[in-house]
């Protein structure tokens, strides 16, 4: 097993990784403000849509927890998304006091439209590499994704998402 980079000279590798991730994020998300405006969404709203797209229907309290915001703020976000037909609200049949939020087909189309810009840019970049270079990058990004997914699952394993 390879040793993990630590502080000191090896810490430079972590710094390079963080810089690369930040640069990739800026690269993939530049120009997206205009897409948010076109969809009549703000950052809180698109994050809520992505959250529900990823996890499926959630209670208001779970949305607030995941977004790091209050239930009052989440209620405003959800109300706006419902009025735009991006979300629908319902109640839990076992406890009618619990509000369950679910993304609609219209909301899914909005998340796809928002992601399309990044997808187009990714294709433009990938087309510049030969097969070996592309394979190297894909394996690295898959490792990043799998590691992040593993971390999220371990952090959220105790959270109730129903």
């Amino acid at each position: 097993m390879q040793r993990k980079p630590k502080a000191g000279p090896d810490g430079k590798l972590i710094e390079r990784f963080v810089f690369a991730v930040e640069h990739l994020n800026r690269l993939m998300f530049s120009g997206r403000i205009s897409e948010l405006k076109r969809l009549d969404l703000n950052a809180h709203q698109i994050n809520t849509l992505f959250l529900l797209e990823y996890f499926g229907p959630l209670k208001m309290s779970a949305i607030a927890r995941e977004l790091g915001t209050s239930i009052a703020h989440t209620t405003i976000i959800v109300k706006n998304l419902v009025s735009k037909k991006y979300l629908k609200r319902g109640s839990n049949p076992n406890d009618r006091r619990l509000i369950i939020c679910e993304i609609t087909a219209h909301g899914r189309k909005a998340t796809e439209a928002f992601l399309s810009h990044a997808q187009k840019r990714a294709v433009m970049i990938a087309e510049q590499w030969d097969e070996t270079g592309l394979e190297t990058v894909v394996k690295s990004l898959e490792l990043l994704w799998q590691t992040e997914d593993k971390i999220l699952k371990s952090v959220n394993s105790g959270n109730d998402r129903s």
Side-chain angles (χ1 to χ4, degrees):
M1 184 165 141
Q2 295 179 335
R3 70 183 179 92
K4 296 178 183 176
K6 306 253 186 241
D10 290 341
K12 294 290 183 195
L13 192 55
I14 291 174
E15 287 177 21
R16 285 177 51 206
F17 168 75
V18 170
F19 179 77
V21 168
E22 289 171 351
H23 186 74
L24 181 61
N25 190 41
R26 281 191 298 276
L27 176 73
M28 299 318 298
F29 288 95
S30 64
R32 306 282 288 284
I33 302 270
S34 60
E35 187 61 24
L36 281 177
K37 287 180 181 176
R38 189 187 73 74
L39 295 167
D40 191 27
L41 293 170
N42 63 40
H44 297 288
Q45 293 168 339
I46 196 71
N47 287 339
T48 302
L49 290 177
F50 281 127
L51 184 67
L52 291 167
E53 177 73 8
Y54 184 76
F55 288 117
L58 293 173
K59 297 185 298 186
M60 293 285 274
S61 59
I63 296 169
R65 182 177 54 247
E66 290 296 325
L67 296 177
T69 188
S70 68
I71 291 180
H73 185 239
T74 302
T75 300
I76 294 167
I77 294 168
V78 167
K79 180 181 176 187
N80 287 325
L81 289 170
V82 168
S83 72
K84 296 172 187 178
K85 311 242 186 288
Y86 288 130
L87 292 185
K88 62 181 177 179
R89 281 186 291 211
S91 57
N92 184 323
N94 300 325
D95 185 347
R96 309 251 334 135
R97 296 170 297 166
L98 295 177
I99 303 298
I100 307 295
C101 300
E102 185 175 356
I103 194 167
T104 63
H106 185 57
R108 280 189 187 83
K109 286 180 187 175
T111 60
E112 290 169 12
F114 187 74
L115 289 174
S116 70
H117 174 77
Q119 292 166 340
K120 289 174 188 171
R121 296 220 23 188
V123 168
M124 285 174 28
I125 291 167
E127 288 174 338
Q128 302 300 307
W129 296 322
D130 64 17
E131 189 172 344
T132 303
L134 183 58
E135 180 69 23
T136 301
V137 171
V138 169
K139 283 182 179 180
S140 297
L141 290 173
E142 287 173 343
L143 177 61
L144 177 66
W145 167 41
Q146 291 162 1
T147 304
E148 175 67 8
D149 199 42
K150 189 166 99 175
I151 290 168
L152 283 174
K153 285 180 182 174
S154 70
V155 167
N156 293 323
S157 64
N159 293 343
D160 178 22
R161 298 212 180 279
S162 59

Short mmCIF file of all heavy atoms in Angstrom, two decimals, residues 78-132:
data_model
loop_
_atom_site.label_atom_id
_atom_site.label_comp_id
_atom_site.label_asym_id
_atom_site.label_seq_id
_atom_site.Cartn_x
_atom_site.Cartn_y
_atom_site.Cartn_z
N VAL A 78 -37.93 26.23 -0.76
CA VAL A 78 -38.86 25.22 -1.27
C VAL A 78 -40.12 25.88 -1.81
O VAL A 78 -40.61 25.51 -2.89
CB VAL A 78 -39.17 24.17 -0.18
CG1 VAL A 78 -40.35 23.29 -0.57
CG2 VAL A 78 -37.93 23.31 0.08
N LYS A 79 -40.66 26.86 -1.09
CA LYS A 79 -41.87 27.55 -1.56
C LYS A 79 -41.64 28.15 -2.95
O LYS A 79 -42.50 28.01 -3.84
CB LYS A 79 -42.24 28.65 -0.57
CG LYS A 79 -43.48 29.43 -0.95
CD LYS A 79 -43.78 30.52 0.05
CE LYS A 79 -44.96 31.35 -0.42
NZ LYS A 79 -45.19 32.51 0.43
N ASN A 80 -40.49 28.79 -3.15
CA ASN A 80 -40.17 29.37 -4.46
C ASN A 80 -40.03 28.30 -5.53
O ASN A 80 -40.49 28.47 -6.66
CB ASN A 80 -38.92 30.22 -4.38
CG ASN A 80 -39.15 31.52 -3.66
OD1 ASN A 80 -40.21 32.11 -3.75
ND2 ASN A 80 -38.14 31.98 -2.92
N LEU A 81 -39.39 27.19 -5.19
CA LEU A 81 -39.21 26.11 -6.17
C LEU A 81 -40.54 25.44 -6.52
O LEU A 81 -40.75 25.04 -7.66
CB LEU A 81 -38.20 25.09 -5.64
CG LEU A 81 -36.76 25.56 -5.61
CD1 LEU A 81 -35.88 24.56 -4.85
CD2 LEU A 81 -36.22 25.77 -7.02
N VAL A 82 -41.43 25.34 -5.55
CA VAL A 82 -42.77 24.77 -5.81
C VAL A 82 -43.54 25.70 -6.73
O VAL A 82 -44.18 25.26 -7.70
CB VAL A 82 -43.53 24.52 -4.49
CG1 VAL A 82 -45.00 24.22 -4.75
CG2 VAL A 82 -42.89 23.37 -3.72
N SER A 83 -43.46 27.02 -6.48
CA SER A 83 -44.19 27.98 -7.32
C SER A 83 -43.68 27.97 -8.76
O SER A 83 -44.43 28.27 -9.69
CB SER A 83 -44.12 29.39 -6.73
OG SER A 83 -42.83 29.94 -6.90
N LYS A 84 -42.41 27.61 -8.95
CA LYS A 84 -41.83 27.52 -10.30
C LYS A 84 -42.00 26.12 -10.90
O LYS A 84 -41.51 25.84 -11.99
CB LYS A 84 -40.34 27.88 -10.24
CG LYS A 84 -40.12 29.32 -9.83
CD LYS A 84 -38.64 29.59 -9.60
CE LYS A 84 -38.47 30.98 -9.02
NZ LYS A 84 -37.08 31.30 -8.72
N LYS A 85 -42.66 25.24 -10.16
CA LYS A 85 -42.94 23.86 -10.59
C LYS A 85 -41.70 22.99 -10.70
O LYS A 85 -41.69 21.98 -11.40
CB LYS A 85 -43.73 23.84 -11.91
CG LYS A 85 -44.93 24.76 -11.92
CD LYS A 85 -46.18 23.99 -12.12
CE LYS A 85 -47.38 24.86 -12.29
NZ LYS A 85 -47.87 25.56 -11.16
N TYR A 86 -40.63 23.36 -9.97
CA TYR A 86 -39.41 22.56 -9.94
C TYR A 86 -39.48 21.47 -8.86
O TYR A 86 -38.80 20.47 -8.96
CB TYR A 86 -38.18 23.44 -9.67
CG TYR A 86 -37.77 24.31 -10.82
CD1 TYR A 86 -37.53 25.67 -10.64
CD2 TYR A 86 -37.58 23.78 -12.09
CE1 TYR A 86 -37.13 26.48 -11.70
CE2 TYR A 86 -37.18 24.58 -13.15
CZ TYR A 86 -36.96 25.92 -12.95
OH TYR A 86 -36.56 26.71 -13.99
N LEU A 87 -40.30 21.70 -7.84
CA LEU A 87 -40.49 20.75 -6.74
C LEU A 87 -41.96 20.56 -6.47
O LEU A 87 -42.78 21.40 -6.82
CB LEU A 87 -39.87 21.28 -5.43
CG LEU A 87 -38.39 21.41 -5.28
CD1 LEU A 87 -38.06 21.83 -3.85
CD2 LEU A 87 -37.67 20.15 -5.65
N LYS A 88 -42.26 19.45 -5.80
CA LYS A 88 -43.60 19.27 -5.25
C LYS A 88 -43.44 18.88 -3.79
O LYS A 88 -42.46 18.25 -3.40
CB LYS A 88 -44.41 18.25 -6.03
CG LYS A 88 -43.87 16.85 -6.05
CD LYS A 88 -44.75 15.93 -6.89
CE LYS A 88 -44.15 14.54 -6.96
NZ LYS A 88 -44.97 13.63 -7.73
N ARG A 89 -44.40 19.33 -2.99
CA ARG A 89 -44.42 19.01 -1.56
C ARG A 89 -45.54 18.05 -1.29
O ARG A 89 -46.59 18.10 -1.91
CB ARG A 89 -44.68 20.28 -0.74
CG ARG A 89 -43.50 21.15 -0.55
CD ARG A 89 -43.84 22.29 0.39
NE ARG A 89 -44.79 23.19 -0.26
CZ ARG A 89 -44.85 24.48 -0.04
NH1 ARG A 89 -44.05 25.03 0.83
NH2 ARG A 89 -45.70 25.24 -0.67
N GLY A 90 -45.30 17.20 -0.33
CA GLY A 90 -46.33 16.28 0.12
C GLY A 90 -46.11 16.00 1.59
O GLY A 90 -45.14 16.46 2.18
N SER A 91 -47.01 15.24 2.16
CA SER A 91 -46.84 14.90 3.57
C SER A 91 -46.56 13.41 3.69
O SER A 91 -46.90 12.61 2.82
CB SER A 91 -48.07 15.29 4.38
OG SER A 91 -49.21 14.68 3.86
N ASN A 92 -45.94 13.06 4.78
CA ASN A 92 -45.65 11.67 5.08
C ASN A 92 -46.94 11.00 5.54
O ASN A 92 -47.59 11.50 6.47
CB ASN A 92 -44.58 11.63 6.19
CG ASN A 92 -44.12 10.23 6.51
OD1 ASN A 92 -44.90 9.29 6.50
ND2 ASN A 92 -42.85 10.10 6.81
N PRO A 93 -47.34 9.89 4.93
CA PRO A 93 -48.60 9.24 5.32
C PRO A 93 -48.61 8.80 6.79
O PRO A 93 -49.66 8.73 7.41
CB PRO A 93 -48.73 8.05 4.38
CG PRO A 93 -47.50 8.00 3.57
CD PRO A 93 -46.67 9.20 3.86
N ASN A 94 -47.43 8.52 7.36
CA ASN A 94 -47.35 8.09 8.75
C ASN A 94 -47.37 9.25 9.74
O ASN A 94 -47.68 9.06 10.91
CB ASN A 94 -46.07 7.27 8.98
CG ASN A 94 -46.04 6.02 8.11
OD1 ASN A 94 -47.08 5.42 7.86
ND2 ASN A 94 -44.88 5.67 7.63
N ASP A 95 -46.98 10.43 9.26
CA ASP A 95 -46.98 11.62 10.12
C ASP A 95 -47.25 12.82 9.23
O ASP A 95 -46.34 13.35 8.60
CB ASP A 95 -45.63 11.75 10.83
CG ASP A 95 -45.60 12.89 11.84
OD1 ASP A 95 -46.53 13.73 11.83
OD2 ASP A 95 -44.65 12.94 12.63
N ARG A 96 -48.49 13.27 9.20
CA ARG A 96 -48.91 14.33 8.27
C ARG A 96 -48.23 15.66 8.57
O ARG A 96 -48.26 16.56 7.75
CB ARG A 96 -50.44 14.49 8.31
CG ARG A 96 -51.16 13.17 8.14
CD ARG A 96 -51.91 12.86 6.92
NE ARG A 96 -52.45 13.86 6.09
CZ ARG A 96 -52.34 13.82 4.77
NH1 ARG A 96 -51.63 12.86 4.20
NH2 ARG A 96 -52.89 14.72 4.02
N ARG A 97 -47.59 15.79 9.73
CA ARG A 97 -46.88 17.04 10.05
C ARG A 97 -45.58 17.16 9.26
O ARG A 97 -45.07 18.25 9.07
CB ARG A 97 -46.55 17.10 11.54
CG ARG A 97 -47.79 17.16 12.44
CD ARG A 97 -47.40 16.98 13.87
NE ARG A 97 -46.80 15.65 14.03
CZ ARG A 97 -46.11 15.25 15.10
NH1 ARG A 97 -45.93 16.05 16.11
NH2 ARG A 97 -45.61 14.04 15.15
N LEU A 98 -45.02 16.03 8.83
CA LEU A 98 -43.76 16.04 8.10
C LEU A 98 -43.99 16.37 6.62
O LEU A 98 -44.81 15.73 5.97
CB LEU A 98 -43.06 14.67 8.19
CG LEU A 98 -42.59 14.24 9.57
CD1 LEU A 98 -41.99 12.84 9.49
CD2 LEU A 98 -41.58 15.22 10.12
N ILE A 99 -43.28 17.36 6.14
CA ILE A 99 -43.37 17.75 4.73
C ILE A 99 -42.24 17.08 3.97
O ILE A 99 -41.07 17.20 4.33
CB ILE A 99 -43.27 19.29 4.58
CG1 ILE A 99 -44.35 19.98 5.42
CG2 ILE A 99 -43.34 19.69 3.11
CD1 ILE A 99 -45.76 19.64 5.02
N ILE A 100 -42.61 16.36 2.93
CA ILE A 100 -41.64 15.68 2.08
C ILE A 100 -41.56 16.44 0.76
O ILE A 100 -42.58 16.74 0.14
CB ILE A 100 -42.06 14.21 1.80
CG1 ILE A 100 -42.33 13.45 3.10
CG2 ILE A 100 -41.02 13.51 0.94
CD1 ILE A 100 -41.14 13.27 3.99
N CYS A 101 -40.34 16.73 0.33
CA CYS A 101 -40.13 17.46 -0.93
C CYS A 101 -39.54 16.51 -1.96
O CYS A 101 -38.69 15.69 -1.64
CB CYS A 101 -39.17 18.63 -0.71
SG CYS A 101 -39.79 19.80 0.50
N GLU A 102 -40.01 16.67 -3.18
CA GLU A 102 -39.56 15.80 -4.27
C GLU A 102 -39.38 16.64 -5.54
O GLU A 102 -40.20 17.51 -5.84
CB GLU A 102 -40.62 14.71 -4.50
CG GLU A 102 -40.24 13.68 -5.51
CD GLU A 102 -41.27 12.55 -5.60
OE1 GLU A 102 -42.24 12.53 -4.81
OE2 GLU A 102 -41.09 11.69 -6.48
N ILE A 103 -38.32 16.35 -6.27
CA ILE A 103 -38.07 17.07 -7.53
C ILE A 103 -39.07 16.60 -8.58
O ILE A 103 -39.46 15.43 -8.61
CB ILE A 103 -36.60 16.86 -7.98
CG1 ILE A 103 -36.23 17.86 -9.08
CG2 ILE A 103 -36.34 15.43 -8.38
CD1 ILE A 103 -34.74 17.93 -9.36
N THR A 104 -39.51 17.52 -9.43
CA THR A 104 -40.44 17.19 -10.52
C THR A 104 -39.65 16.95 -11.81
O THR A 104 -38.45 17.19 -11.86
CB THR A 104 -41.42 18.35 -10.75
OG1 THR A 104 -40.66 19.49 -11.16
CG2 THR A 104 -42.23 18.66 -9.51
N ALA A 105 -40.34 16.53 -12.83
CA ALA A 105 -39.70 16.36 -14.14
C ALA A 105 -39.16 17.71 -14.63
O ALA A 105 -38.06 17.78 -15.20
CB ALA A 105 -40.70 15.79 -15.16
N HIS A 106 -39.89 18.78 -14.37
CA HIS A 106 -39.44 20.13 -14.74
C HIS A 106 -38.15 20.49 -13.98
O HIS A 106 -37.23 21.09 -14.54
CB HIS A 106 -40.56 21.12 -14.43
CG HIS A 106 -40.30 22.52 -14.86
ND1 HIS A 106 -40.00 22.87 -16.16
CD2 HIS A 106 -40.29 23.67 -14.16
CE1 HIS A 106 -39.82 24.18 -16.24
NE2 HIS A 106 -39.99 24.69 -15.02
N GLY A 107 -38.07 20.09 -12.71
CA GLY A 107 -36.87 20.32 -11.91
C GLY A 107 -35.68 19.53 -12.44
O GLY A 107 -34.55 20.02 -12.47
N ARG A 108 -35.94 18.30 -12.87
CA ARG A 108 -34.86 17.47 -13.45
C ARG A 108 -34.33 18.10 -14.73
O ARG A 108 -33.13 18.12 -14.98
CB ARG A 108 -35.36 16.06 -13.72
CG ARG A 108 -35.39 15.20 -12.51
CD ARG A 108 -35.67 13.72 -12.84
NE ARG A 108 -35.84 13.02 -11.59
CZ ARG A 108 -36.97 12.98 -10.89
NH1 ARG A 108 -38.06 13.56 -11.35
NH2 ARG A 108 -37.03 12.33 -9.75
N LYS A 109 -35.25 18.64 -15.54
CA LYS A 109 -34.81 19.31 -16.77
C LYS A 109 -33.94 20.52 -16.44
O LYS A 109 -32.97 20.80 -17.14
CB LYS A 109 -36.02 19.74 -17.60
CG LYS A 109 -36.71 18.60 -18.29
CD LYS A 109 -37.91 19.09 -19.09
CE LYS A 109 -38.69 17.92 -19.65
NZ LYS A 109 -39.91 18.35 -20.31
N ALA A 110 -34.28 21.23 -15.37
CA ALA A 110 -33.49 22.39 -14.96
C ALA A 110 -32.09 21.98 -14.53
O ALA A 110 -31.10 22.62 -14.90
CB ALA A 110 -34.19 23.15 -13.84
N THR A 111 -31.97 20.89 -13.76
CA THR A 111 -30.64 20.45 -13.34
C THR A 111 -29.83 19.98 -14.55
O THR A 111 -28.63 20.25 -14.63
CB THR A 111 -30.70 19.33 -12.28
OG1 THR A 111 -31.38 18.19 -12.80
CG2 THR A 111 -31.36 19.81 -11.00
N GLU A 112 -30.48 19.32 -15.49
CA GLU A 112 -29.78 18.88 -16.71
C GLU A 112 -29.31 20.08 -17.53
O GLU A 112 -28.19 20.09 -18.03
CB GLU A 112 -30.70 17.99 -17.55
CG GLU A 112 -30.96 16.63 -16.93
CD GLU A 112 -32.07 15.86 -17.62
OE1 GLU A 112 -32.51 16.26 -18.73
OE2 GLU A 112 -32.52 14.86 -17.03
N ALA A 113 -30.15 21.10 -17.64
CA ALA A 113 -29.77 22.30 -18.38
C ALA A 113 -28.59 22.99 -17.71
O ALA A 113 -27.66 23.46 -18.37
CB ALA A 113 -30.95 23.26 -18.49
N PHE A 114 -28.62 23.04 -16.38
CA PHE A 114 -27.55 23.68 -15.64
C PHE A 114 -26.23 22.92 -15.83
O PHE A 114 -25.17 23.53 -15.96
CB PHE A 114 -27.91 23.78 -14.16
CG PHE A 114 -26.93 24.57 -13.36
CD1 PHE A 114 -26.89 25.95 -13.46
CD2 PHE A 114 -26.05 23.94 -12.50
CE1 PHE A 114 -25.99 26.70 -12.72
CE2 PHE A 114 -25.15 24.68 -11.75
CZ PHE A 114 -25.12 26.05 -11.86
N LEU A 115 -26.31 21.61 -15.88
CA LEU A 115 -25.11 20.79 -16.05
C LEU A 115 -24.60 20.76 -17.49
O LEU A 115 -23.43 20.45 -17.72
CB LEU A 115 -25.37 19.35 -15.58
CG LEU A 115 -25.52 19.16 -14.08
CD1 LEU A 115 -25.90 17.72 -13.78
CD2 LEU A 115 -24.24 19.54 -13.36
N SER A 116 -25.45 21.06 -18.45
CA SER A 116 -25.06 20.90 -19.85
C SER A 116 -23.85 21.76 -20.23
O SER A 116 -23.02 21.34 -21.02
CB SER A 116 -26.24 21.19 -20.78
OG SER A 116 -26.55 22.56 -20.78
N HIS A 117 -23.74 22.94 -19.64
CA HIS A 117 -22.58 23.80 -19.93
C HIS A 117 -21.28 23.11 -19.53
O HIS A 117 -20.33 23.06 -20.31
CB HIS A 117 -22.72 25.14 -19.19
CG HIS A 117 -21.54 26.02 -19.33
ND1 HIS A 117 -21.30 26.75 -20.47
CD2 HIS A 117 -20.52 26.28 -18.49
CE1 HIS A 117 -20.17 27.42 -20.31
NE2 HIS A 117 -19.68 27.16 -19.12
N ALA A 118 -21.25 22.56 -18.32
CA ALA A 118 -20.05 21.86 -17.83
C ALA A 118 -19.77 20.63 -18.69
O ALA A 118 -18.61 20.33 -19.00
CB ALA A 118 -20.21 21.47 -16.38
N GLN A 119 -20.82 19.95 -19.11
CA GLN A 119 -20.64 18.76 -19.93
C GLN A 119 -20.02 19.12 -21.29
O GLN A 119 -19.11 18.44 -21.77
CB GLN A 119 -21.97 18.03 -20.11
CG GLN A 119 -22.47 17.42 -18.83
CD GLN A 119 -23.93 17.00 -18.90
OE1 GLN A 119 -24.69 17.46 -19.74
NE2 GLN A 119 -24.34 16.15 -17.97
N LYS A 120 -20.50 20.20 -21.89
CA LYS A 120 -19.95 20.64 -23.18
C LYS A 120 -18.49 21.02 -23.05
O LYS A 120 -17.66 20.67 -23.89
CB LYS A 120 -20.76 21.81 -23.74
CG LYS A 120 -22.14 21.42 -24.22
CD LYS A 120 -22.95 22.64 -24.63
CE LYS A 120 -24.39 22.25 -24.91
NZ LYS A 120 -25.24 23.41 -25.10
N ARG A 121 -18.15 21.73 -21.96
CA ARG A 121 -16.76 22.12 -21.75
C ARG A 121 -15.89 20.89 -21.50
O ARG A 121 -14.76 20.82 -21.99
CB ARG A 121 -16.66 23.09 -20.58
CG ARG A 121 -17.38 24.36 -20.89
CD ARG A 121 -16.83 25.62 -20.50
NE ARG A 121 -15.43 25.78 -20.25
CZ ARG A 121 -14.95 26.87 -19.73
NH1 ARG A 121 -15.76 27.85 -19.41
NH2 ARG A 121 -13.67 27.00 -19.53
N ALA A 122 -16.40 19.92 -20.78
CA ALA A 122 -15.64 18.70 -20.50
C ALA A 122 -15.34 17.94 -21.80
O ALA A 122 -14.23 17.46 -22.01
CB ALA A 122 -16.40 17.81 -19.52
N VAL A 123 -16.32 17.87 -22.69
CA VAL A 123 -16.11 17.20 -23.97
C VAL A 123 -15.06 17.93 -24.80
O VAL A 123 -14.17 17.30 -25.39
CB VAL A 123 -17.44 17.06 -24.75
CG1 VAL A 123 -17.21 16.62 -26.19
CG2 VAL A 123 -18.37 16.08 -24.03
N MET A 124 -15.14 19.26 -24.83
CA MET A 124 -14.16 20.05 -25.58
C MET A 124 -12.73 19.78 -25.08
O MET A 124 -11.79 19.64 -25.86
CB MET A 124 -14.46 21.54 -25.48
CG MET A 124 -15.63 21.98 -26.32
SD MET A 124 -16.14 23.72 -26.11
CE MET A 124 -14.69 24.57 -25.63
N ILE A 125 -12.59 19.69 -23.77
CA ILE A 125 -11.27 19.43 -23.18
C ILE A 125 -10.83 18.00 -23.49
O ILE A 125 -9.71 17.77 -23.93
CB ILE A 125 -11.29 19.70 -21.67
CG1 ILE A 125 -11.46 21.20 -21.41
CG2 ILE A 125 -10.04 19.16 -20.99
CD1 ILE A 125 -11.82 21.54 -19.99
N ALA A 126 -11.71 17.04 -23.26
CA ALA A 126 -11.36 15.62 -23.46
C ALA A 126 -10.96 15.32 -24.89
O ALA A 126 -10.09 14.49 -25.14
CB ALA A 126 -12.54 14.74 -23.04
N GLU A 127 -11.56 16.03 -25.83
CA GLU A 127 -11.24 15.80 -27.24
C GLU A 127 -9.81 16.24 -27.60
O GLU A 127 -9.30 15.87 -28.65
CB GLU A 127 -12.26 16.51 -28.13
CG GLU A 127 -13.62 15.83 -28.11
CD GLU A 127 -14.69 16.60 -28.86
OE1 GLU A 127 -14.54 17.84 -29.06
OE2 GLU A 127 -15.69 15.96 -29.23
N GLN A 128 -9.17 16.97 -26.71
CA GLN A 128 -7.80 17.44 -26.96
C GLN A 128 -6.75 16.38 -26.59
O GLN A 128 -5.59 16.51 -26.97
CB GLN A 128 -7.52 18.73 -26.17
CG GLN A 128 -8.46 19.86 -26.49
CD GLN A 128 -8.42 20.26 -27.95
OE1 GLN A 128 -7.36 20.54 -28.49
NE2 GLN A 128 -9.57 20.25 -28.59
N TRP A 129 -7.12 15.37 -25.85
CA TRP A 129 -6.18 14.37 -25.35
C TRP A 129 -6.18 13.11 -26.22
O TRP A 129 -7.19 12.76 -26.83
CB TRP A 129 -6.52 13.95 -23.93
CG TRP A 129 -6.40 15.05 -22.91
CD1 TRP A 129 -5.45 16.02 -22.86
CD2 TRP A 129 -7.27 15.29 -21.82
NE1 TRP A 129 -5.66 16.83 -21.79
CE2 TRP A 129 -6.77 16.42 -21.12
CE3 TRP A 129 -8.40 14.66 -21.33
CZ2 TRP A 129 -7.37 16.92 -19.98
CZ3 TRP A 129 -9.01 15.16 -20.19
CH2 TRP A 129 -8.49 16.27 -19.53
N ASP A 130 -5.05 12.40 -26.18
CA ASP A 130 -5.03 11.08 -26.81
C ASP A 130 -5.69 10.08 -25.84
O ASP A 130 -6.02 10.43 -24.70
CB ASP A 130 -3.61 10.65 -27.19
CG ASP A 130 -2.68 10.48 -26.00
OD1 ASP A 130 -3.15 10.37 -24.84
OD2 ASP A 130 -1.46 10.45 -26.22
N GLU A 131 -5.87 8.87 -26.29
CA GLU A 131 -6.59 7.88 -25.48
C GLU A 131 -5.90 7.59 -24.15
O GLU A 131 -6.56 7.46 -23.11
CB GLU A 131 -6.76 6.57 -26.28
CG GLU A 131 -7.69 5.60 -25.60
CD GLU A 131 -8.02 4.38 -26.46
OE1 GLU A 131 -7.78 4.41 -27.68
OE2 GLU A 131 -8.51 3.41 -25.88
N THR A 132 -4.58 7.54 -24.15
CA THR A 132 -3.84 7.26 -22.92
C THR A 132 -4.02 8.39 -21.90
O THR A 132 -4.29 8.14 -20.73
CB THR A 132 -2.34 7.06 -23.22
OG1 THR A 132 -2.20 6.00 -24.17
CG2 THR A 132 -1.56 6.72 -21.96
#
